[in-house]
Amino acid sequence: MRRKTRLAEKVLFASKVFRLTKTARFGIIVTAILSFLIFAISFYGMEAGNFTFTVDQRAYQIGVTLYENADNKRYSTRLLAEKVENADGMTDLCGTEFSTRPLGHPSCIPSNEEIHSKEGSNNGESYIAYTFYVEMQSNGNYVADLIAEIDIISTSKGAEEALRVKVIIDGVATVYARRQSEYGQNPGELEPYTDQEFHGPSTVMRQSFINFNPGDVKKVSVVIWYEGYDADHTINLWSGGVKLAMNFTVTNVVLLEDDTN
């Protein structure tokens, strides 16, 4: 009887070991599948990170401020455009000799007029679009030169090589990009249908507005995307991304004379 009991115990133990082994194997398989899926999601999605717009302390002290809505001014020193998780290639070349896509195609960047007419965040599936206002809302009687600068905060996989940044100020658009790399049709030249190269290695643009007076307002739209027709927009950039920030500061601050005396 004892032998039968011990034999039964061995069979029961072996059964438990088998079940545990089977469960462990299943867990390993599930973990491997999940790991692969996580890797796949990460690998196949480029990212355009959060875009922040800020007024620095010097500009804030003389009254420079930001807001999204002209009819409901909520003054702030910091605005945020949400990031795009899967920034697949878009194009601003629709309707040109560089693209077979007609205007209005889903992969085309909307027109400047459409972008500039919508306030606040207006992201598409694969591009960032944000419109806001910068104003000298000053209690003091200052005049200054306003400086706008967009900087590359971080980048990976060389994603900035295919990056496009369009800045529309009071209806006037400028498209910034790195010059064509060795893979482009004309290495060293500006990319097709862009206006200016990046201002520096980590600076996209820098623009001055002379004599920014109390009450002066600039309407600004920023559009960010990865140009699908860029020769550097290849599988090598996948899983890469860029994070940008736009800052406003002032120089040449002058206290105006009080005309009431």
Side-chain angles (χ1 to χ4, degrees), residues 154-219:
S154 64
T155 182
S156 59
K157 299 285 188 177
E160 75 280 4
E161 295 296 334
L163 186 69
R164 298 291 185 275
V165 179
K166 179 183 291 186
V167 182
I168 309 172
I169 300 177
D170 293 337
V172 179
T174 305
V175 180
Y176 300 87
R178 288 206 184 282
R179 287 184 178 269
Q180 294 184 48
S181 71
E182 59 183 306
Y183 304 108
Q185 291 185 351
N186 299 292
E189 299 294 324
L190 289 174
E191 291 285 357
Y193 287 85
T194 63
D195 302 299
Q196 293 188 32
E197 65 177 315
F198 284 0
H199 185 75
S202 61
T203 303
V204 172
M205 62 82 74
R206 192 174 193 271
Q207 186 170 346
S208 301
F209 304 96
I210 307 302
N211 294 333
F212 200 60
N213 290 277
D216 284 354
V217 181
K218 294 290 181 183
K219 184 179 182 181

